[in-house]
Amino acid sequence: MSGAKEKKKIGLTTQIFIALIVGAILGIVLHVAASDVEFVQNVLINGVFYVIGQGFIRLMQMLVVPLVFCSLICGATAIGDSKTLGKVGIKIIGFYILTTMMAVAVALGIGLLIRPGLGLDMSQVQQVETGIEGGQSVSFAETILNIIPKNPIGALANGEMLQGIVFALIIGIILAKLQDKTQLVTNFFQQGNDIMMEMTMMVMRLAPIGVFCLIAKTFAGLGFSAMVPMFKYMGAVLLALFIQCCGVYQVLLALFTRLNPLRFLKKFAPVMGFAFSTATSNATIPMNIDTLEEKIGVNRRISSFTIPLGATINMDGTSIMQGVAVVFVAQAFGITLTPADYLTVIATATLASIGTAGVPSVGLITLAMVFDSVGLPVAGIGLIMGIDRILDMARTAVNITGDAVCTTIVAHQDGALDKSVFNKN
């Protein structure tokens, strides 16, 4: 009996979706029927909804620095442990970084083309300190130099994650190099990473309540007019994901390996379906490796290293969400971003993807870091949180497809791709 009850339990994705719908409906009703009722406005909307919604955002912000820092150190250490300082390691990391930068560029382009945030005037609803001051500009050279931390502890304390990422990568590389000499420190960061992942899952269990309050407050101020921009945002993300998966990846595959992209997609579709249903890159690792070996012809010697690594550092779908979200929130809050800001977004989202673990919704947490890099209000995350959880499944499918395409290309260049296996059936 208990097993049957357990199966009937509503999943987190469904709970968040329900919270999104109910919150939006309640917000619209309050906007129409109680916009001038003092108790509703002061106690319910600007009291209960505001405190709970902002409290949830603060919990997410609390996770950013320790989660990304520990995850990056563990990822960089694992690279060394897997003997990846050779040409295969350099090539696969290079391809992962290249495709992630292309993904962010695609996302920014689609966002600027569709302009999903227009018509959603958040500046009229809530005054948010953006951190952007008029008349201040930083040259591109200074932007590059600012990546290197003068005081890494101070950078982490102040949430300057771009500097924190560089410091974490250096620590991870050194730990990988010293290995047995620093095993205690390595274990410390690995256990710290486990703690932060568990804390992330605990916070995400509160997501339905947080989403309900954030969305209800948003729609109570904006009414039904907020629906169209949110669906435009959703469409922009899905379009960018489709272009990356069926366009960018397949062009790279055909260019470097001369394999048939349509055949690849057909053979790889079951893995994409599994990734979509689980919304976690880590869960697809065994199936991904098996499919690459049995259907694509990739030697397991290559895929057993590149696929787990990709699940850790190659998050193109997440980067696409972050790119579109930047444009969406900037437009919604009436903030103008410069070309230098967009370059900063590409750099930050690419580096942030390295620290994004392969579990559901964790990319939403690192989005706070991307927003901070160009001075966008973190409160904007509340606008997209509910819909983002739905999109999480689609972008996970893109993430693991990117891992597989990059692995196939590197295997081909290393002479570890059996094309006769790929051409069978």
Side-chain angles (χ1 to χ4, degrees), residues 30 32 36 41 46 140 151 165 174 187-188 202 240 246 256 353 400 410:
L30 292 176
V32 172
D36 55 352
Q41 294 296 320
N46 294 315
F140 184 72
N151 179 357
I165 284 173
I174 291 172
N187 291 341
F188 172 79
M202 289 174 63
C246 299
F256 284 97
S353 72
I400 59 100
V410 171

Side-chain angles (χ1 to χ4, degrees), residues 376-391:
L376 290 179
V378 178
I381 295 176
L383 280 173
I384 61 176
M385 187 173 294
I387 285 181
D388 176 79
R389 189 63 184 91
I390 303 164
L391 295 173

Side-chain angles (χ1 to χ4, degrees), residues 160-182:
E160 296 169 0
M161 282 307 301
L162 205 55
Q163 297 183 3
I165 284 173
V166 172
F167 185 57
L169 285 174
I170 294 172
I171 290 177
I173 291 169
I174 291 172
L175 288 176
K177 183 179 180 182
L178 296 178
Q179 293 187 355
D180 293 340
K181 292 182 180 178
T182 55

Side-chain angles (χ1 to χ4, degrees), residues 141-223:
E142 285 297 318
T143 302
I144 297 296
L145 286 174
N146 285 340
I147 295 175
I148 304 171
K150 293 178 181 177
N151 179 357
I153 307 302
L156 291 169
N158 294 326
E160 296 169 0
M161 282 307 301
L162 205 55
Q163 297 183 3
I165 284 173
V166 172
F167 185 57
L169 285 174
I170 294 172
I171 290 177
I173 291 169
I174 291 172
L175 288 176
K177 183 179 180 182
L178 296 178
Q179 293 187 355
D180 293 340
K181 292 182 180 178
T182 55
Q183 192 59 49
L184 182 66
V185 179
T186 302
N187 291 341
F188 172 79
F189 283 114
Q190 287 173 343
Q191 290 168 2
N193 189 49
D194 292 339
I195 290 170
M196 293 314 303
M197 290 309 305
E198 181 62 29
M199 192 180 296
T200 299
M201 301 317 295
M202 289 174 63
V203 171
M204 287 312 299
R205 290 190 192 106
L206 301 175
I209 300 171
V211 167
F212 172 79
C213 292
L214 288 165
I215 294 297
K217 185 180 186 307
T218 299
F219 279 84
L222 297 175

